[in-house]
Amino acid sequence: MAAATYKDAGVDLELYQQAMARLPKMMQRTRTPRVLDLPGGFAGLFGLNRPGQPYEDPVLVSGTDGVGTKIKVAIQAKKFDTIGVDLVAMCVNDCLCLGAEPLFFLDYLALGKDDPELIAELVSGVSDACVETGSALLGGETAIMPDLYAAGDFDMAGFSVGVVERNRTIDGQRIQPGDVILGLDSSGFHSNGYSLIRKVVFEGASLSIDDTIPELGATVAEVLLKPTRLYVSAIQAVLKQSLVVHGMAHNTGGGLQENVARILPEGCRAEIDRGSWQPLPEFAWLQQLGNIDRDEMFRVFNMGIGYVVIAPPENVAVIQQALTGQDVGNQVIGKIVAGEPGVDYTN
């Protein structure tokens, strides 16, 4: 038997090193003052306290997520430089709901074969989003597993860590009847419901990734690969006003009914008026294309509301002004009433 090598098994270490050599520059551009030098280390080091502004009673906030089958759309379109933005957004937006300041991000990338160009494009999106959110890309892992992933397939996962002062943690427990529910505009489908989207668009309607959607003035790829919105700068602008915010929710899979319900305390019920905003046109396009029931649309997708802020009515005007100043459209979509925790649609 001839001498076996790792390359024979599907892992080309030389090609892997080429890919890894491209990543330090992308990580370096996300570096923040609290990243500590550790040449050649096996992990990343990060100083918790801010220079000149230490935390008094810091609480670490962490979250992890993936991108789901939106990855399959990226593979069809052969466009990989934005899916990393989705990855960061899905993790950081979750942590943001507790009022956390993003600190650092870790990514995990698994592929069926070594592909330096693909890896570089994927990590470039992660790097871009880390810069926008003030997160240091502190480390990551790239795994080549030919027996688990077919050639051309890959998966991504992300891990975000943030921090918040214990007495400023926003966990929803202060929500009370009379509070106002603000909905922040999404950028599109974000990263949820893509198994249904793909079934409707590619199987049911037999559209191709490069087909133009006349009513949207864009191709299928452009509509489906629009990155998830990052809400960090907008919410930080709100919190810097020292305003009272009682609760926040990242509207992902499960829609408003499930995600808002997660933060409601005993004695509080949310009433949301589905007629208080106009969903983005891509939702109407998909609903018509797949003959999807309205309730199913609201259960699966964000329907144009990607994030929710719940606050006392006297703070709403200033909050909306801060959000608008960050170019994030927003509107009052409901209120909190007395009742068992849950969400009712009033339209």
Side-chain angles (χ1 to χ4, degrees):
M1 178 180 177
T5 67
Y6 211 4
K7 190 172 183 178
D8 294 335
V11 181
D12 187 329
L13 291 178
E14 285 75 23
L15 209 55
Y16 181 82
Q17 289 302 321
Q18 290 179 32
M20 295 305 100
R22 302 184 183 200
L23 304 188
K25 184 180 293 186
M26 298 182 201
M27 297 175 65
Q28 181 64 30
R29 65 189 289 259
T30 72
R31 185 184 177 96
T32 65
R34 285 178 278 181
V35 176
L36 306 180
D37 289 328
L38 184 67
F42 287 92
L45 293 178
F46 193 95
L48 181 57
N49 275 324
R50 295 168 290 195
Q53 194 180 8
Y55 286 94
E56 295 179 2
D57 188 12
V59 175
L60 290 178
V61 179
S62 64
T64 182
D65 210 335
V67 186
T69 60
K70 189 172 185 175
I71 284 175
K72 300 294 286 186
V73 180
I75 291 171
Q76 284 180 264
K78 296 181 174 60
K79 179 175 172 55
F80 306 107
D81 59 343
T82 60
I83 202 79
V85 177
D86 290 290
L87 181 65
V88 175
M90 295 302 288
C91 300
V92 173
N93 287 345
D94 278 356
C95 294
L96 189 63
C97 292
L98 288 160
E101 170 204 1
L103 295 179
F104 57 84
F105 191 81
L106 305 171
D107 64 351
Y108 172 82
L109 174 60
L111 305 92
K113 65 175 292 187
D114 301 277
D115 189 334
E117 290 295 333
L118 172 59
I119 293 171
E121 283 192 71
L122 293 172
V123 178
S124 72
V126 174
S127 178
D128 288 343
C130 283
V131 170
E132 183 174 337
T133 60
S135 304
L137 182 53
L138 198 59
E141 165 68 2
T142 301
I144 309 301
M145 298 184 287
D147 293 332
L148 286 181
Y149 296 92
D153 279 343
F154 66 90
D155 197 11
M156 301 179 78
F159 312 86
S160 178
V161 174
V163 65
V164 63
E165 289 281 12
R166 186 184 298 270
N167 63 4
R168 299 192 67 181
T169 304
I170 301 171
D171 60 6
Q173 291 306 300
R174 296 179 65 187
I175 293 173
Q176 57 189 350
D179 281 352
V180 173
I181 305 172
L182 282 171
L184 281 59
D185 291 353
S186 71
S187 59
F189 294 112
H190 284 186
S191 298
N192 296 103
Y194 273 77
S195 293
L196 176 57
I197 292 171
R198 290 168 45 247
K199 182 176 181 63
V200 168
V201 174
F202 302 120
E203 292 184 28
S206 299
L207 295 178
S208 73
I209 198 72
D210 296 318
D211 283 343
T212 297
I213 306 169
E215 57 266 48
L216 301 180
T219 66
V220 171
E222 289 169 339
V223 171
L224 300 190
L225 289 178
K226 194 178 296 183
T228 304
R229 188 166 212 158
L230 294 156
Y231 292 98
V232 173
S233 61
I235 296 303
Q236 286 181 336
V238 169
L239 298 181
K240 284 178 182 177
Q241 302 291 325
S242 296
L243 297 170
V244 174
V245 171
H246 286 167
M248 295 190 289
H250 184 201
N251 190 23
T252 55
L256 290 166
Q257 279 192 312
E258 291 189 17
N259 289 293
V260 173
R262 290 167 65 177
I263 62 170
L264 296 177
E266 283 297 323
C268 291
R269 193 167 185 84
E271 289 186 351
I272 294 177
D273 179 4
R274 292 190 290 192
S276 60
W277 77 93
Q278 182 65 44
L280 295 168
E282 46 260 57
F283 293 102
W285 163 73
L286 181 71
Q287 184 177 6
Q288 183 177 17
L289 193 67
N291 190 29
I292 304 172
D293 183 78
R294 185 189 188 210
D295 286 341
E296 180 74 356
M297 290 292 296
F298 274 87
R299 192 170 70 91
V300 176
F301 303 109
N302 67 65
M303 296 303 287
I305 300 295
Y307 198 90
V308 167
V309 174
I310 301 176
E314 62 269 20
N315 290 340
V316 169
V318 179
I319 291 174
Q320 289 192 283
Q321 185 177 16
L323 293 171
T324 303
Q326 294 294 318
D327 296 321
V328 176
N330 58 91
Q331 46 277 313
V332 173
I333 64 170
K335 61 184 178 181
I336 301 297
V337 299
E340 286 300 309
V343 176
D344 294 321
Y345 287 132
T346 60
N347 188 320

